[in-house]
Amino acid sequence: MYILEIDSVNKSFGRNMILSDIYLKCKTGDIVGILGRNGSGKSTLLRILFGTLSAEQKFIRIDDKILDRPYTTAGEICYLPQDSHLLQDITLGKVVKLCLQNKEVDLFFDDPLLKNLKASPVSHLSGGESRYAEIKLLLYSDAKFILLDEPFNGLSPVLVESVKDMIRQHAQQKGIILTDHDYRNVLDVANRHYLLSDGGLKAIRGKDDLVLWGYISSSASASLDFDI
């Protein structure tokens, strides 16, 4: 089992405190969903955890190894930003071959959504196709932990369900932390849930907690099938 912990995170932009004394733990088998309104600091927290954004204070540990910038250590952590990061001027097949071992390339493309796109330049893919391929590449990587920032953005309902299935499957060997503006998908796929609000991370154990912290209205909760 792999264990990731981030503790004592404080982050400000100017005089605005975005994150205050944040603690989060993720282990193999966890799908941790982080909810929060726009500007609450969800992307900021993931970037700090990945190691590409500094903080006034932070403590990151993976399997008892203290890592200031986890992304510089191979096999530890991967991050999906909100904007596409795939190389645009080569084919999807070449991108996958660069990222994965040869034995996994055929398995990657044994997929009705991707099998006809192997020879297509990445720049010719639709936004949904590109996003789906990015997510699948990260989940197929050898990283112990995967951070997904807005993974469902721009995906059709069919692709959203396929991505959720992939996340559940790969969480058997990895720890996954994700956030998305579509909170229903986050609640559906995650097995642990948090709300980032007023700089703090609050554990969510049911829809009543979401109402209590003002994230959704009581009327919205009535149609929400979510309780732990």
Side-chain angles (χ1 to χ4, degrees), residues 98-217:
L98 286 171
C99 296
L100 302 180
Q101 298 179 9
N102 288 334
K103 65 181 180 180
E104 295 177 313
V105 173
D106 289 340
L107 184 61
F108 182 92
F109 283 105
D110 185 18
D111 181 327
L113 297 170
L114 295 175
K115 64 181 180 180
N116 296 322
L117 298 175
K118 191 172 183 178
S120 299
V122 171
S123 60
H124 290 186
L125 303 184
S126 70
E129 290 167 343
S130 178
R131 194 64 168 170
Y132 179 83
E134 287 179 302
I135 295 166
K136 189 167 185 177
L137 274 172
L138 294 191
L139 293 173
Y140 267 66
S141 74
D142 61 358
K144 299 173 182 176
F145 297 95
I146 308 295
L147 312 178
L148 302 174
D149 195 359
E150 303 277 357
F152 307 118
N153 188 31
L155 297 184
S156 68
V158 170
L159 287 181
V160 166
E161 294 306 314
S162 295
V163 166
K164 288 194 287 189
D165 287 342
M166 278 198 300
I167 289 172
R168 294 185 185 105
Q169 175 189 350
H170 287 273
Q172 298 175 38
Q173 294 85 35
K174 302 176 184 292
I176 298 172
I177 301 175
L178 64 90
T179 182
D180 202 273
H181 71 278
D182 190 336
Y183 65 88
R184 292 178 184 270
N185 285 322
V186 175
L187 295 176
D188 180 47
V189 73
N191 55 25
R192 291 173 51 215
H193 309 84
Y194 294 89
L195 176 66
L196 187 55
S197 178
D198 296 326
L201 203 57
K202 303 165 176 60
I204 299 298
R205 297 178 177 84
K207 57 187 179 183
D208 288 346
D209 287 343
L210 295 174
V211 176
L212 175 65
W213 294 110
Y215 185 67
I216 61 173
S217 66

